[in-house]
Amino acid sequence: MKILLDGQWIDRDDKIEVSDPFDNSVVDTVPKCDRIDVEAALKAAVNGFEITKRMSVYDRAQVLYKTAQIVAGDLDTYATIIAREGSKTIREARKEATRCVNTLTVAAEEAKRILGETIPFDSFPGGEKRRGYYYRFPIGVVLAITPFNDPLNLVAHKLGPAFAAGNAVILKPATVTPLSAIKLVEAMVQAGMPPMAIQVLTGYGNEIGDTLVADERVRMISFTGGVEAGKHIVHQAGIKKIGMELGSNSPVIVWKDTDMELAIESCVSGAFWAAGQNCIGVQRLYVHEDIYDEFRTRFVERTRKYKIGDKMKEDTDMGPMITEKEAQRVESWVNAAVEKGARVLTGGKRTGALYEPTVLENLPDGVAVHCEEVFGPTVNLYRVNDLDDAIAQANSMPYGLLAAIFTSNVDVAFKAAYELDCGGVMINDSTDYRLDSMPFGGVKYSGLGREGLKFSLQEMTEPKVVCFYLPNM
Ligand code: NAP
């Protein structure tokens, strides 16, 4: 595929192959951008902002509504690209494409609600005869850096609000999954977005990233990805706004009074969705001891029914990991835990990039599958008997994106909601629940700031005060 740079769709002789992790077939190629392309993108983005900041809210919203319609009218194509270039099964990919339509639609709606307020200047001596207000203005050039695991919708989560706010964007999608992102940019241009409003750079983050991130023409970095890259970017960025949507190893508490069937269905899906490559995937399950044995038996039975394999088949529940190297990493983490005493209840085997849905218990302290973000299809069971202890264990990690609790006791639910240290608590859903318009983000190493259209729009705009001194009033 070509990329959009300085208003033109361009190609390069130097290319990167995008391959399907299931069979390693080449899906397509993209240009391998270099530092000259980065400079071209930065210059063009500054010019693009001169256009976008002058567009009316109505025009910006119309482009986003039309983009949503284009994606909605071609869902199968988008789903196929997501499934081919990434890890998702075709059913998972369809859901992502549908969510992208909602993300763009809500971005269009929120464009019309970028509001300011009047300011009571005369509320303090010295403010007499002054009248004023603030309004929110676009921040300028937004650098959007996106991960592989939701290659379409997480791009929409940045392009939608950035454009709704009147910004220009430089998009650097994940190198393994750039195709869905480019297809979305094609739709935006088709919908009437000025081509100068967006620059796409396909190339390795560790080659072109520093030049982009450190450049003063970039006024905001909106990054979604892993903690390591996030920390590096923060160090390079200098003085600019930064939004960080990072990882987690999400905890779920299953209390003794829960609807067990609901908890099992929800947590199995939450653990293995997108082969566990999901920032809100269930990784740590704290189960009350009164129901632990039955929960474990039924959870393992349900996991064993999971059908893994060809992503394009309708009845496949889980596809491969994004690369064989990633599956090897998960395999080595599980093996290291087992050597130290962890027990594999089901799964634990790898074929190429396919790693079986794996359930573990008896986790020793300090092993990576317990305390790091696995970002793969493994889930840990822990036996607990005290709510304070379960909450303390849930909070004991350096992450805090979403947490969840299954219970029918409102007191238990409220206590968990207030004491779990994270960006959101799901009651009777697993952590793998996100409405695209809710404020989404984490505490500690899980991130900085919030996404979720209305909230992204706040982050991607700045308030400007206007004050009239009216001495003759
Ligand atoms: P990643 O390796 O951190 O990469 C994310 C993006 O950052 C890619 O586009 C990557 O480019 C780029 N990048 C890497 N190093 C860079 C640098 N030095 N400068 C500029 N850009 C750089 O993450 P991933 O493996 O794609 O995604 C998985 C991670 O994302 C997980 O930790 C997951 O939890 C997190 N995530 C968080 C959320 C959330 O909303 N909180 C949502 C989804 C995923 P290349 O591809 O070229 O390396």
Side-chain angles (χ1 to χ4, degrees):
M1 285 175 108
K2 293 181 179 177
I3 54 165
L4 184 60
L5 195 57
D6 201 9
Q8 308 291 324
W9 289 99
I10 62 141
D11 209 346
R12 289 276 179 268
D13 291 337
D14 209 0
K15 295 187 198 310
I16 297 172
E17 286 185 347
V18 180
S19 44
D20 182 329
F22 180 66
D23 56 11
N24 294 318
S25 58
V26 175
V27 184
D28 209 332
T29 61
V30 290
K32 180 174 178 291
C33 294
D34 56 20
R35 297 218 174 115
I36 297 169
D37 294 317
V38 169
E39 180 53 32
L42 286 161
K43 261 195 198 146
V46 171
N47 293 335
F49 181 51
E50 292 302 313
I51 301 170
T52 53
K53 74 181 185 190
R54 290 185 172 81
M55 285 177 75
S56 71
V57 167
Y58 176 80
D59 287 345
R60 288 173 347 223
Q62 284 305 106
V63 169
L64 291 167
Y65 281 129
K66 279 186 200 151
T67 311
Q69 282 165 9
I70 292 167
V71 177
D74 205 6
L75 277 182
D76 277 346
T77 306
Y78 282 89
T80 303
I81 297 174
I82 293 168
R84 288 289 322 276
E85 70 173 338
S87 273
K88 285 188 173 171
T89 65
I90 189 70
R91 280 189 285 132
E92 290 172 333
R94 251 182 236 126
K95 188 166 176 194
E96 182 178 340
T98 307
R99 278 181 59 186
C100 173
V101 175
N102 181 45
T103 301
L104 294 166
T105 307
V106 179
E109 290 165 354
E110 291 296 340
K112 299 179 182 177
R113 293 195 276 264
I114 310 172
L115 305 176
E117 281 181 329
T118 55
I119 301 168
F121 277 99
D122 58 356
S123 59
F124 193 73
E128 297 83 1
K129 300 194 175 189
R130 284 175 175 81
R131 295 285 182 272
Y133 59 94
Y134 75 86
Y135 73 99
R136 301 197 73 87
F137 68 97
I139 196 161
V141 175
V142 174
L143 170 60
I145 304 178
T146 52
F148 75 82
N149 61 313
D150 287 316
L152 179 69
N153 193 36
L154 290 180
V155 176
H157 262 289
K158 301 199 186 297
L159 298 190
F163 190 61
N167 294 307
V169 183
I170 299 174
L171 170 65
K172 203 227 80 64
T175 299
V176 280
T177 57
L179 306 177
S180 315
I182 297 173
K183 182 84 184 150
L184 178 61
V185 174
E186 283 176 6
M188 290 182 93
V189 174
Q190 194 188 332
M193 187 183 67
M196 285 297 284
I198 181 153
Q199 319 299 322
V200 182
L201 290 172
T202 45
Y204 297 105
N206 58 8
E207 290 178 9
I208 58 172
D210 285 359
T211 317
L212 262 176
V213 161
D215 197 278
E216 289 180 0
R217 285 165 286 186
V218 171
R219 297 313 309 139
M220 177 180 182
I221 300 170
S222 177
F223 174 78
T224 302
V227 175
E228 287 316 311
K231 278 187 193 166
H232 179 84
I233 287 169
V234 168
H235 281 120
Q236 301 296 316
I239 298 176
K240 50 178 67 87
K241 261 193 163 179
I242 298 181
M244 288 271 146
E245 297 285 338
L246 307 175
S248 191
N249 54 5
S250 304
V252 178
I253 298 170
V254 182
W255 210 238
K256 58 188 169 188
D257 49 30
T258 192
D259 173 342
M260 198 181 295
E261 188 56 29
L262 173 73
I264 289 169
E265 276 303 311
S266 179
C267 291
V268 169
S269 163
F272 305 124
W273 183 265
Q277 299 158 115
N278 176 4
C279 57
I280 48 177
V282 177
Q283 186 174 324
R284 296 178 288 135
L285 263 170
Y286 296 95
V287 184
H288 194 280
E289 64 177 4
D290 290 0
I291 58 164
Y292 185 90
D293 291 341
E294 185 188 348
F295 183 90
R296 173 179 57 190
T297 304
R298 289 170 59 182
F299 192 88
V300 167
E301 270 170 14
R302 181 72 190 87
T303 301
R304 285 193 179 130
K305 288 193 184 131
Y306 244 57
K307 201 160 176 188
I308 65 171
D310 187 346
K311 290 173 292 176
M312 303 314 287
K313 288 192 175 158
E314 286 295 332
D315 62 348
T316 301
D317 295 310
M318 197 186 94
M321 293 195 63
I322 191 67
T323 58
E324 183 166 354
K325 199 170 154 220
E326 276 296 284
Q328 285 165 344
R329 176 187 58 79
V330 173
E331 180 183 40
S332 73
W333 283 17
V334 170
N335 291 346
V338 169
E339 271 171 30
K340 292 198 167 160
R343 196 174 305 126
V344 176
L345 299 173
T346 186
K349 293 196 189 66
R350 181 182 67 81
T351 313
L354 283 166
Y355 192 77
E356 288 177 352
T358 299
V359 184
L360 301 162
E361 72 171 358
N362 207 28
L363 277 300
D365 278 348
V367 293
V369 281
H370 166 63
C371 51
E372 303 291 333
E373 177 186 39
V374 175
F375 219 59
T378 73
V379 60
N380 306 330
L381 303 186
Y382 308 84
R383 197 186 289 263
V384 289
N385 60 16
D386 173 74
L387 188 57
D388 286 315
D389 175 50
I391 292 172
Q393 289 197 54
N395 287 344
S396 66
M397 300 289 159
Y399 301 103
L401 193 49
L402 296 188
I405 185 161
F406 286 85
T407 180
S408 54
N409 180 328
V410 75
D411 294 337
V412 169
F414 261 95
K415 184 177 169 71
Y418 281 87
E419 294 189 7
L420 284 164
D421 192 10
C422 56
V425 179
M426 300 296 132
I427 319 285
N428 294 328
D429 264 311
S430 87
T431 46
D432 184 25
Y433 182 81
R434 177 180 183 183
L435 179 74
D436 289 288
S437 49
M438 76 188 202
F440 185 79
V443 300
K444 301 188 268 187
Y445 278 176
S446 290
L448 282 176
R450 292 291 180 269
E451 284 198 345
L453 296 319
K454 173 179 167 186
F455 306 91
S456 308
L457 271 162
Q458 290 288 310
E459 310 265 355
M460 291 177 175
T461 54
E462 297 276 24
K464 183 188 274 185
V465 172
V466 179
C467 178
F468 289 82
Y469 177 42
L470 304 162
N472 301 323
M473 199 171 76

